[in-house]
């Protein structure tokens, strides 16, 4: 059984932090390679990967000359088909997209709004079962796995977090949902103190007496806006 609840710019904070801190840091670090990969696990009908694409498109024009890939995965072939189409109803686009952003990145197609073709050069969708065998994919710099871990038991969460730690770039970032955590599940992650964004990164386990999640706070980053 799966739940396919999603929306554009869902919860807003993760995407603000992505814009103001995470992408500026990774762009600075990846200047030589000029590659950036984002994986959105349990992406449902695609609103999250397309939101990330719009953030990049609107605020980081330098990425137009990079090899950027946003990969959305889900277990359901039905929701992946909708995601690949990039077509959404008026109600769906009303959930999260301000009108100026909507008319900038979508065009009308009958009763639907369809995301611009440019998005399909960056965003792709694949079938993946989080508790099954994972197909080969590029090493992600950023992983969004929001609002899905709550449906798994502790042992399964531990297994998934361990696999992500092996897959993700060592200096990469993981976004979980607001009600999700790595605390008491996988000590290799540290919570990033950024405005309740649900952001984590890999790091050495903290010393005794220190909460495992709270041992890393970023220095202020300057956005490229």
């Amino acid at each position: 059984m799966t739940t396919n609840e999603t929306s554009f710019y869902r919860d807003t904070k993760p995407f603000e932090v992505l814009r103001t801190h995470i992408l500026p840091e990774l762009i600075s670090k990846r200047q030589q390679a000029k590659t950036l990969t984002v994986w959105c696990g349990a992406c449902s009908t695609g609103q999250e990967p397309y939101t990330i694409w719009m953030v990049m498109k609107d605020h980081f024009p330098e990425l137009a000359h990079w090899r950027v890939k946003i990969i959305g995965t889900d277990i359901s072939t039905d929701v992946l088909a909708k995601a690949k189409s990039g077509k959404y109803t008026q109600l769906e686009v009303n959930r999260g997209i301000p009108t100026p952003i909507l008319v900038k990145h979508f065009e009308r197609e009958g009763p639907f709004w369809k995301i611009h073709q440019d998005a399909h050069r960056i965003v792709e969708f694949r079938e993946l079962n989080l508790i099954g065998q994972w197909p080969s994919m590029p090493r992600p710099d950023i992983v969004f796995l929001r609002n899905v871990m709550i449906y798994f038991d502790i042992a399964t969460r531990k297994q998934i977090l361990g696999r992500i730690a092996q897959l993700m770039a060592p200096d990469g970032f993981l976004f979980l949902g607001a009600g999700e955590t790595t605390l008491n599940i996988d000590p290799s992650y540290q919570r990033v103190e950024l405005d309740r964004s649900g952001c984590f990164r890999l790091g050495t386990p903290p010393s005794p007496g220190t909460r495992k999640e709270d041992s890393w706070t970023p220095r202020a980053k300057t956005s490229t806006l």
Side-chain angles (χ1 to χ4, degrees), residues 203-224:
T204 56
S207 58
T210 302
R211 287 202 304 163
K212 295 175 183 179
E213 290 188 316
D214 294 342
S215 55
W216 191 87
T217 302
R219 292 177 295 176
K221 296 293 179 182
T222 301
S223 172
T224 57

Side-chain angles (χ1 to χ4, degrees), residues 5-204:
E5 170 63 21
T6 187
S7 61
F8 291 99
Y9 295 92
R10 185 177 182 182
D11 302 326
T12 67
K13 290 297 184 183
F15 303 103
E16 292 177 8
V17 166
L18 183 71
R19 173 179 61 85
T20 59
H21 287 77
I22 306 307
L23 284 173
E25 176 176 325
L26 289 175
I27 288 171
S28 176
K29 289 180 174 179
R30 306 291 193 267
Q31 281 295 325
Q32 186 171 359
K34 286 185 166 48
T35 62
L36 191 65
T37 300
V38 182
W39 172 33
C40 297
C43 71
S44 187
T45 46
Q47 283 92 324
E48 183 177 80
Y50 288 133
T51 298
I52 295 169
W53 173 77
M54 288 187 283
V55 170
M56 292 180 175
K57 185 80 170 176
D58 286 343
H59 301 292
F60 300 95
E62 64 269 41
L63 291 178
H65 306 290
W66 285 40
R67 295 186 299 277
V68 177
K69 183 61 65 178
I70 303 170
I71 302 170
T73 66
D74 202 277
I75 191 175
S76 169
T77 55
D78 290 338
V79 299
L80 288 174
K82 179 177 175 65
K84 291 175 182 177
S85 76
K87 295 196 294 187
Y88 299 92
T89 65
Q90 186 70 55
L91 178 61
E92 288 170 323
V93 297
N94 283 347
R95 294 186 65 196
I97 305 184
T99 299
I101 295 178
L102 175 64
V103 298
K104 182 178 182 180
H105 295 301
F106 289 77
E107 56 189 15
R108 291 303 298 260
E109 187 175 283
F112 299 101
W113 286 91
K114 184 175 182 179
I115 199 156
H116 284 174
Q117 187 62 35
D118 286 352
H120 295 292
R121 290 195 282 267
I122 302 297
V123 184
E124 67 176 61
F125 297 94
R126 306 178 184 180
E127 184 179 353
L128 185 146
N129 182 350
L130 288 168
I131 60 175
Q133 184 175 358
W134 293 6
S136 176
M137 70 172 71
R139 179 180 292 274
D141 303 287
I142 305 169
V143 176
F144 275 69
L145 193 65
R146 303 175 61 229
N147 307 303
V148 65
M149 298 280 275
I150 55 174
Y151 298 105
F152 298 130
D153 59 28
I154 297 297
T156 304
R157 295 179 200 178
K158 185 177 181 66
Q159 180 187 48
I160 292 172
L161 288 171
R163 295 173 77 176
I164 292 173
Q166 292 180 338
L167 177 67
M168 187 171 66
D171 60 348
F173 294 88
L174 167 67
F175 283 89
L176 298 178
E180 299 169 324
T181 183
T182 65
L183 183 63
N184 296 326
I185 301 174
D186 192 324
S188 60
Y189 291 91
Q190 296 176 335
R191 183 164 58 115
V192 178
E193 299 291 351
L194 285 172
D195 200 15
R196 304 182 307 281
S197 62
C199 184
F200 299 80
R201 73 183 312 167
L202 295 172
T204 56

